[in-house]
Amino acid sequence: MGSRGPSVAKDADPTLDWELLAQAQSGNRAALSEMARGLLPRVRNLVRYLIRGDTDVDDVAQEALIAVLRGLPSFEGEGTLCSWSDRVVARTTFAWLRRERRRSHVVRDPMELESQTSQAAMPDEYVGRRRLVEALDELPSEQRYVLVLHHVLGVTVPEIAREINTPAETVRTRLRTGRNKLRVLVDRGQPRQERSDDEP
Amino acid sequence: MTNPSRPKDPSGFRHLDAGLGPALPMDPLAFDRIVEQAVETILDGSRTVERPRRPWQWLALAAIVVASTAGAATLTARHFIVARAPALASSNVLVPLGVNSKILHPPKHRSNDVDELPATATTSMPTSPSPSVPLPSPPKPAAAEDRLAQANQLRQAGRWQEAEAAYLQIATHYAAAPEAEVASLAAAALRLEHLSDPQGALRLYESLAQGGRLSVEARFGVARCQRALGNPAAEAAALAMVVELAPQSLQADRARQRLSQLRQENATSLNPKD
């Protein structure tokens, strides 16, 4: 399967169902469906980290999921399937962001309002993640993107610089500036309140 | 590729997984739909590959595509590679160098380090696939009826604020549809019953009470709001209107009962026992 042999590849991701992967790579419908179902929650979470608001998450996630499934035959088992998939998702999302850059302002969709009641019923981890992305929503896209690549996916600065064709120093600046802003927003605790006056 | 010691971030970045968040929880039906659509897109592409390919067909196809895209200033034949993997994409599809092409056909000189992120977004190549590539079509805009069903599911799940926002969106975007009035009524009820906003509910009910086929329900809603706001006189007036407009309706029966209660309460307050 991999250029270094299946045993080495399997060591890289011992939790992966290699038989299922092989079937999916050969176009087996049931296997593709099962892989898609397994990947989609993580895909959606990463997309939400990368883009502002909840409105477009599922559209972008679908596009990204298709890119992942389409690229499965090229996965050779180096690194885990999830980390490989994350890179595909990040690239697809970045391409989407570039297309959406024409929109100078993102009109806040009222469907993005999340019930405080429903949040209160959710686990702390979920609430924490929601607050984090709500704070990220306040940042410019370029800062947000590098922050997520670096701190969520663990991509190094040189790799980010190569990915987005930006000098490494610029990436570092965006990370530093983004982190400082994020810290203020998170410490403030409720970034939504700042925008409540602007909402209709 | 991955940084062995993930940078510690004081802002509290959580690790990525398939667990809850940060994406909103998803409706199971919508989840299934996305999966199904994605799989169909992949399989639709692979099914068209089964025709036998001959070299002259590739050249002819390339010539046709080049000729048809000659008017596009940024697109040239050298920007495309032909997808040869039968399990992946249509043999009749030219894949532009971009995100997917790097995944499908890594160039021979590419390092074996799959963690290297090719600068696909950096080239002058169009990031949008060629029109000849079967694009993963975005979900079609839902009909008002579908949107209403989604909003109802949110309400049933107890996600009041989201449901209210969903109802209001229907009322705005599908103003001419019959679902708009139903949605507005539902939003008003949520405001009154779950969002502690009787004033906001009153505004919605009053706007609906002026006409339309649900005006009786809306007037009854006005009465409930006035009761919540502690305005018995206004409540009684609204109830009386319900009885006048639809004397045989269920709302009228309820209105009469409430009017009777209000009269008793009024009589008690005028004649205190002490």
Side-chain angles (χ1 to χ4, degrees):
Chain A
M1 179 174 301
S3 57
R4 296 186 299 176
S7 59
V8 176
K10 288 179 182 177
D11 287 345
D13 195 352
T15 62
L16 178 61
D17 184 339
W18 291 94
E19 179 61 33
L20 180 68
L21 174 66
Q23 289 176 3
Q25 286 174 325
S26 65
N28 179 280
R29 175 188 288 274
L32 276 169
S33 182
E34 191 171 336
M35 292 227 71
R37 298 184 73 84
L39 289 167
L40 182 56
R42 185 186 179 99
V43 168
R44 291 183 72 243
N45 282 338
L46 178 53
V47 169
R48 183 57 181 97
Y49 267 125
L50 289 167
I51 72 173
R52 184 175 295 138
D54 296 296
T55 307
D56 297 312
V57 167
D58 290 334
D59 285 352
V60 181
Q62 184 174 40
E63 201 174 315
L65 181 65
I66 288 169
V68 169
L69 294 180
R70 195 169 269 155
L72 275 180
S74 72
F75 174 66
E76 296 178 344
E78 296 194 16
T80 65
L81 179 67
C82 284
S83 62
W84 173 85
S85 166
D86 291 344
R87 288 191 294 280
V88 174
V89 173
R91 260 181 239 135
T92 308
T93 307
F94 188 61
W96 181 87
L97 284 167
R98 282 165 59 92
R99 295 198 299 270
E100 292 295 307
R101 195 178 288 172
R102 287 190 295 274
R103 294 197 296 172
S104 57
H105 294 285
V106 176
V107 177
R108 194 163 187 87
D109 191 320
M111 288 192 73
E112 291 178 18
L113 290 174
E114 187 173 8
S115 164
Q116 293 305 310
T117 307
S118 68
Q119 270 214 6
M122 297 298 263
D124 287 347
E125 183 63 23
Y126 172 79
V127 174
R129 292 178 185 186
R130 289 296 301 177
R131 286 189 183 147
L132 179 62
V133 291
E134 285 162 13
L136 283 171
D137 285 347
E138 305 295 319
L139 300 182
S141 294
E142 54 270 15
Q143 289 174 12
R144 180 199 193 122
Y145 191 71
V146 299
L147 279 171
V148 173
L149 283 188
H150 190 57
H151 290 289
V152 177
L153 299 186
V155 182
T156 63
V157 169
E159 286 163 339
I160 295 174
R162 255 199 316 275
E163 170 72 4
I164 62 175
N165 195 31
T166 299
E169 194 47 47
T170 304
V171 172
R172 287 192 190 92
T173 301
R174 288 180 187 173
L175 281 173
R176 195 166 44 245
T177 311
R179 267 199 297 266
N180 289 340
K181 284 185 193 171
L182 197 62
R183 209 169 282 131
V184 170
L185 289 165
V186 172
D187 287 347
R188 198 174 291 167
Q190 294 180 8
R192 275 187 190 277
Q193 286 185 347
E194 291 188 60
R195 299 181 58 161
S196 62
D197 293 335
D198 297 329
E199 289 174 353
Chain B
M1 182 278 284
T2 53
N3 196 343
S5 56
R6 184 158 295 180
K8 186 175 169 59
D9 176 59
S11 301
F13 271 101
R14 269 73 171 175
H15 66 281
L16 177 69
D17 58 25
L20 282 177
L24 289 174
M26 196 170 189
D27 173 58
L29 291 176
F31 185 95
D32 290 344
R33 207 161 38 239
I34 288 186
V35 167
E36 190 182 321
Q37 209 159 347
V39 171
E40 285 302 323
T41 301
I42 300 302
L43 293 178
D44 280 348
S46 64
R47 272 197 284 273
T48 61
V49 172
E50 290 170 8
R51 283 177 285 165
R53 303 183 307 281
R54 298 184 177 81
W56 66 266
Q57 286 183 326
W58 293 111
L59 293 172
L61 188 60
I64 291 169
V65 173
V66 169
S68 66
T69 58
T74 59
L75 299 180
T76 62
R78 70 180 172 85
H79 290 178
F80 294 86
I81 61 173
V82 177
R84 290 192 177 86
L88 293 172
S90 163
S91 61
N92 294 328
V93 167
L94 295 186
V95 179
L97 282 174
V99 171
N100 291 336
S101 71
K102 288 290 185 183
I103 297 164
L104 292 173
H105 303 283
K108 288 181 181 175
H109 61 268
R110 179 172 173 268
S111 78
N112 285 330
D113 178 13
V114 294
D115 294 326
E116 177 185 348
L117 298 175
T120 57
T122 70
T123 67
S124 60
M125 313 300 179
T127 54
S128 312
S130 153
S132 60
V133 175
L135 293 172
S137 55
K140 291 178 183 167
E145 192 181 332
D146 295 332
R147 286 290 187 113
L148 192 61
Q150 289 169 7
N152 289 342
Q153 283 176 352
L154 288 170
R155 190 192 69 227
Q156 285 157 15
R159 292 157 68 172
W160 312 123
Q161 208 159 348
E162 288 173 84
E164 186 223 8
Y167 286 128
L168 291 176
Q169 214 180 32
I170 295 166
T172 305
H173 293 167
Y174 302 94
E179 286 82 0
E181 209 175 347
V182 173
S184 293
L185 211 63
L190 281 176
R191 287 180 177 181
L192 178 62
E193 295 163 12
H194 297 289
L195 296 175
S196 305
D197 184 15
Q199 198 64 55
L202 180 62
R203 283 195 300 273
L204 269 177
Y205 279 129
E206 283 180 336
S207 68
L208 291 166
Q210 303 308 317
R213 55 192 184 89
L214 297 175
S215 57
V216 173
E217 287 83 354
R219 286 189 188 279
F220 195 76
V222 168
R224 293 174 64 209
C225 290
Q226 297 292 9
R227 179 178 181 180
L229 290 166
N231 301 328
E235 182 193 356
L239 291 168
M241 187 67 76
V242 170
V243 174
E244 184 181 327
L245 282 174
Q248 307 300 322
S249 67
L250 180 61
Q251 286 85 0
D253 287 341
R254 294 166 67 189
R256 288 190 195 93
Q257 288 174 9
R258 179 59 188 159
L259 280 166
S260 174
Q261 270 180 349
L262 283 171
R263 279 193 288 272
Q264 287 176 8
E265 286 170 10
N266 195 31
T268 304
S269 67
L270 290 175
N271 297 295
K273 290 185 179 176
D274 56 354

